[in-house]
Amino acid sequence: MSLFLDVIETGFNRFLRFLIFVVAASIGLFAVLIPLNLLLIKTNLGAIWWLHEAVEYALYVGVFIGAPWVLQQGAHVRVDVFASALPRRAAVQLERLLDCFGVSLCGLLCFYGARAALWEFEDGTLPDKDLRIANWYMLAVFAGSFFLLAVEFLFRLRRARAIVDQDASDPVRASF
Amino acid sequence: MEWQYALILLLGTVCTLMFMGLPVALAFFAANVLGTALFINGDIGLVFMPIEFHNAIKFSLVPIALFLLMGEILLQTGVAFKAIGAIDRMIARIPGRLSVVSVVGGTVFSSLSGSTIANTAILGSVLLPDMMKRGYKPAIAMGPIMAVGGVAMLIPPSALAVLLASLAEQSVAQLLIAGIVPGILMAILFFAYVMIRCSINPSLAPAYEPDDENLDDAVSMEIHIGGRMRWSGSYDGSMKRTVNRILPFVLYIFPLGTIFIVVVGSIFFKIAAPTEAAALGCLASLAACYLFRLFKNGIRISGIDGADFGFSAIWRALIETAKINTMILFIIAGSLVFSQALANSGATDGLLQEVTSLDLTPLGVVIIMMCVLLFLGAFMDQVSMLLLTLPFFLLGSTSLQATFNIDVIWLMVLMLITMEISLLTPPFGLLLYVMKGVAPFDVSLGQIVRSALPFIFIELAVLILLIVFPEIATWLPGKVR
């Protein structure tokens, strides 16, 4: 069973890594296309009319599909003043409690995201933008993201001890 | 429900979950679920809640990713380290030389990177081992590195300034420009403090002869094309010492200076909006890095090391940017509905009316706001404290800023400085932990805090100076209007 879960977790981690590669590539693309658009405008050669809205969509999708990998890396901002003061055994129990809470919360948000996506799909609603991508796609991304976050919390539950040890040795999280 | 109970319930949920160690973004999401269920149409509200998140991610937030990418490119390609080396060589024998190098280097790097963490980590890993080897006391070795790391928050490109202005729906360009003078002022005060303290107590930073051996070598240059040398020349005249000292500074710092000019100049002269300026800055960073690569392979100059990197370094920069950007924007997405729930529950208006009824002056309100931020900053990170306080301080026509008619750019600069101070205040001051992580020796958190203390006082002094003389912050953006 443990070996089977290891295989699943490895595959899941690879998938999350692929998603963050997509996010990274999209940021690289912004860095090239935005100056290109500026150049086109300044030289009166036209403009990439869809760029601003496409960047907005990409940023939204990027944040939600990237969040599970960031959680897996332990890089989401955490205020662990209380947890770091606890003895290891209690810290592991707290980590497990938080992971259970994380699974429930993300499961709930996934459920409501899926319901919202279904509503929007049935209504066929479109955003009030020039570049129109049906709303349900965006909501499906939201629901999918929280599904992946819930799964990652389940895996964290499994490796709670290792997470607590790692947090103790490296208290600095990514930030500005 | 009375507004007081709603306020305690919503803020209490976020703070309790946050302090228990749940990722901050998810603490906000949990409060959103609770707030929406209780104050925004229950089950139906919860179905509509995900739709609201789409509105949270706006185009105005794009510069955050791009400013982060700028700094990451310079960091991952190793170019940032070269720049600090050049500044090290440029500065002659002065009291507390390496601490001064960290202040000057940190200020230069903060004008290239919007990340305080990157700034502190680079300076700490490059300069601290050398400081320890030279017998510098931890008190003067670590303090300037941490303090100048925070200057990145003020001097553009500052990712936090972009975040603050976009969330407050104010001009990003004005806030970026407004941070320049206070940032430089702070760096000058750090510089003066180090010089004065090391002059009074030289044992803190023992004087030493900088490594000047190769200053007497002839200056040589070779041009290689296709792996073969095509041209070479050398200079062995009387000015060679000066040329050897200045050349690394000119060749390393000048290309990096152009990045700052591209970003700030394009905003200042209204050639580009902040997002476009940030993207141009990324391209300029890339161009500067490839120029440095040329110094490694094509143009070989004595004393100039160049930088050797491949596509993998750029890719690492993109991945690191994606990580930090996702982390920040995920919290922002989480907090959007939170401010709506606060407003719908009546908590925002209730608290603001309560404060307004105290008959305070605008200055009194500003001081209270700074005190709240300083208090929160001791326990939580900058993004979280910003998102918790913004609905009360800056958002909407009933906010404290609007009610008391406080200059919004000035207030945001004060907020940035306060957040900068909070990076150094225990127990959660992030830079304290970064320093502990990069220090090449066993150092207690207490020692790190003590070394940061004088610099916290300097930052408080700048904060007071700005409260008394708002023009320090408002003068330069006034020129852009």
Side-chain angles (χ1 to χ4, degrees):
Chain A
M1 184 64 181
S2 175
L3 190 68
F4 175 70
L5 284 177
D6 285 344
V7 172
I8 298 278
E9 190 171 356
T10 308
F12 180 73
N13 289 347
R14 276 197 194 135
F15 179 61
L16 296 189
R17 197 161 170 74
F18 163 74
L19 292 180
I20 203 72
F21 280 4
V22 174
V23 180
S26 73
I27 292 173
L29 213 56
F30 301 165
V32 175
L33 288 179
I34 292 170
L36 180 67
N37 186 43
L38 181 69
L39 183 74
L40 289 173
I41 292 168
K42 294 287 174 190
T43 53
N44 290 323
L45 288 172
I48 309 173
W49 64 268
W50 45 264
L51 185 66
H52 281 210
E53 288 173 352
V55 166
E56 249 178 27
Y57 281 122
L59 203 61
Y60 168 84
V61 172
V63 169
F64 282 99
I65 67 171
W69 181 79
V70 178
L71 178 67
Q72 192 246 324
Q73 295 289 303
H76 276 299
V77 178
R78 288 174 71 172
V79 183
D80 49 7
V81 181
F82 178 63
S84 60
L86 289 174
R88 185 175 178 274
R89 203 179 148 85
V92 171
Q93 295 301 327
L94 179 65
E95 176 62 37
R96 286 197 176 124
L97 180 74
L98 289 173
D99 291 339
C100 288
F101 183 80
V103 173
S104 322
L105 177 67
C106 294
L108 194 72
L109 285 163
C110 172
F111 170 72
Y112 278 106
R115 268 180 73 184
L118 204 63
W119 276 23
E120 296 285 351
F121 176 73
E122 283 167 355
D123 289 351
T125 41
L126 290 167
D128 186 20
K129 290 182 174 182
D130 292 325
L131 182 65
R132 292 179 155 196
I133 296 176
N135 284 343
W136 77 267
Y137 283 113
M138 295 299 126
L139 290 165
V141 168
F142 178 91
S145 167
F146 279 99
F147 172 74
L148 293 176
L149 282 163
V151 174
E152 176 53 30
F153 269 116
L154 282 173
F155 284 127
R156 285 176 71 87
L157 196 59
R158 204 174 153 236
R159 50 173 209 271
R161 278 201 189 92
I163 290 169
V164 168
D165 291 342
Q166 192 191 339
D167 284 356
S169 63
D170 177 24
V172 177
R173 307 288 184 284
S175 189
F176 279 111
Chain B
M1 191 184 283
E2 292 283 320
W3 69 264
Q4 294 93 333
Y5 297 125
L7 185 71
I8 292 167
L9 186 70
L10 290 173
L11 287 181
T13 304
V14 175
C15 292
T16 307
L17 292 172
M18 205 188 271
F19 286 119
M20 281 176 76
L22 192 74
V24 170
L26 290 162
F28 273 110
F29 275 109
N32 285 342
V33 170
L34 190 69
T36 306
L38 289 176
F39 307 113
I40 314 177
N41 292 333
D43 184 60
I44 297 294
L46 283 169
V47 178
F48 279 104
M49 188 178 74
I51 300 168
E52 295 296 328
F53 291 119
H54 192 191
N55 303 327
I57 312 296
K58 294 176 286 190
F59 187 74
S60 61
L61 295 170
V62 179
I64 295 176
L66 297 175
F67 283 150
L68 289 170
L69 179 60
M70 253 177 73
E72 284 296 333
I73 289 173
L74 298 171
L75 186 66
Q76 301 290 344
T77 54
V79 166
F81 297 93
K82 303 285 174 192
I84 291 164
I87 291 165
D88 183 14
R89 201 158 155 181
M90 180 76 185
I91 293 173
R93 196 179 157 177
I94 50 169
R97 183 179 173 278
L98 283 172
S99 297
V100 169
V101 169
S102 70
V103 172
V104 178
T107 310
V108 169
F109 190 64
S110 68
S111 68
L112 305 169
S113 157
S115 166
T116 51
I117 299 282
N119 212 355
T120 310
I122 284 180
L123 292 169
S125 53
V126 172
L127 293 174
L128 210 53
D130 206 17
M131 285 176 169
M132 292 299 114
K133 202 171 76 188
R134 309 272 181 201
Y136 277 51
K137 297 280 183 294
I140 203 69
M142 294 183 294
I145 292 176
M146 287 186 286
V148 84
V151 171
M153 213 178 257
L154 280 174
I155 297 182
S158 160
L160 196 68
V162 174
L163 174 65
L164 175 57
S166 3
L167 290 178
E169 294 171 350
Q170 298 296 330
S171 164
V172 174
Q174 296 247 336
L175 184 58
L176 284 173
I177 301 290
I180 296 176
V181 177
I184 292 173
L185 175 69
M186 208 174 269
I188 291 171
L189 289 176
F190 292 157
F191 182 95
Y193 169 77
V194 170
M195 293 274 284
I196 292 167
R197 191 158 176 213
C198 293
S199 300
I200 294 169
N201 185 1
S203 70
L204 283 173
Y208 69 98
E209 282 301 327
D211 185 11
D212 284 353
E213 265 178 30
N214 54 3
L215 290 184
D216 292 319
D217 295 347
V219 183
S220 66
M221 182 174 168
E222 293 171 1
I223 295 179
H224 293 251
I225 300 170
R228 289 176 58 192
M229 191 175 72
R230 302 287 178 177
W231 182 86
S232 73
S234 68
Y235 169 74
D236 203 6
S238 58
M239 295 288 285
K240 66 183 175 189
R241 212 178 148 79
T242 312
V243 173
N244 268 325
R245 191 183 285 282
I246 292 173
L247 205 59
F249 187 82
V250 173
L251 292 179
Y252 285 137
I253 303 299
F254 182 71
L256 297 182
T258 57
I259 302 172
F260 181 75
I261 292 167
V262 164
V263 174
V264 178
S266 60
I267 294 173
F268 195 85
F269 294 107
K270 295 182 178 170
I271 298 165
T275 311
E276 293 156 344
L280 287 173
C282 291
L283 294 188
S285 298
L286 212 53
C289 291
Y290 275 95
L291 183 73
F292 279 50
R293 198 165 175 239
L294 202 63
F295 288 136
K296 189 83 180 175
N297 305 318
I299 304 169
R300 293 180 192 166
I301 302 169
S302 55
I304 304 294
D305 196 20
D308 199 11
F309 62 90
F311 178 73
S312 62
I314 307 296
W315 184 242
R316 274 200 307 278
L318 281 166
I319 295 282
E320 210 47 41
T321 304
K323 181 166 92 176
I324 302 174
N325 188 54
T326 301
M327 173 209 94
I328 294 163
L329 295 194
F330 199 53
I331 303 178
I332 295 169
S335 72
L336 176 92
V337 181
F338 176 72
S339 53
Q340 283 178 5
L342 272 177
N344 282 13
S345 67
T348 311
D349 281 348
L351 185 67
L352 291 174
Q353 277 167 15
E354 200 69 24
V355 175
T356 313
S357 69
L358 292 175
D359 206 20
L360 292 162
T361 62
L363 185 63
V365 172
V366 168
I367 291 169
I368 289 174
M369 283 195 259
M370 296 307 114
C371 289
V372 169
L373 286 174
L374 282 172
F375 175 74
L376 290 178
F379 302 99
M380 58 180 74
D381 70 288
Q382 285 60 50
V383 184
S384 314
M385 60 197 259
L386 205 63
L387 295 171
L388 277 176
T389 54
L390 229 48
F392 306 102
F393 289 2
L394 269 174
L395 292 181
S397 57
T398 55
S399 69
L400 290 173
Q401 178 270 327
T403 309
F404 288 89
N405 199 20
I406 300 164
D407 185 302
V408 70
I409 296 291
W410 173 62
L411 180 62
M412 287 193 291
V413 173
L414 294 182
M415 288 173 80
L416 285 176
I417 295 175
T418 314
M419 284 187 277
E420 190 180 324
I421 296 170
S422 71
L423 281 170
L424 295 174
T425 48
F428 191 68
L430 204 61
L431 294 186
L432 304 173
Y433 292 96
V434 174
M435 181 50 69
K436 194 164 166 47
V438 298
F441 49 90
D442 195 23
V443 60
S444 70
L445 202 60
Q447 272 179 299
I448 297 176
V449 172
R450 278 195 294 280
S451 71
L453 219 50
F455 297 92
I456 295 175
F457 287 125
I458 292 174
E459 289 178 345
L460 280 171
V462 173
L463 185 69
I464 294 167
L465 205 63
L466 254 79
I467 290 175
V468 179
F469 302 107
E471 296 78 17
I472 298 171
T474 56
W475 170 74
L476 201 54
K479 301 278 172 199
V480 191
R481 278 190 189 118

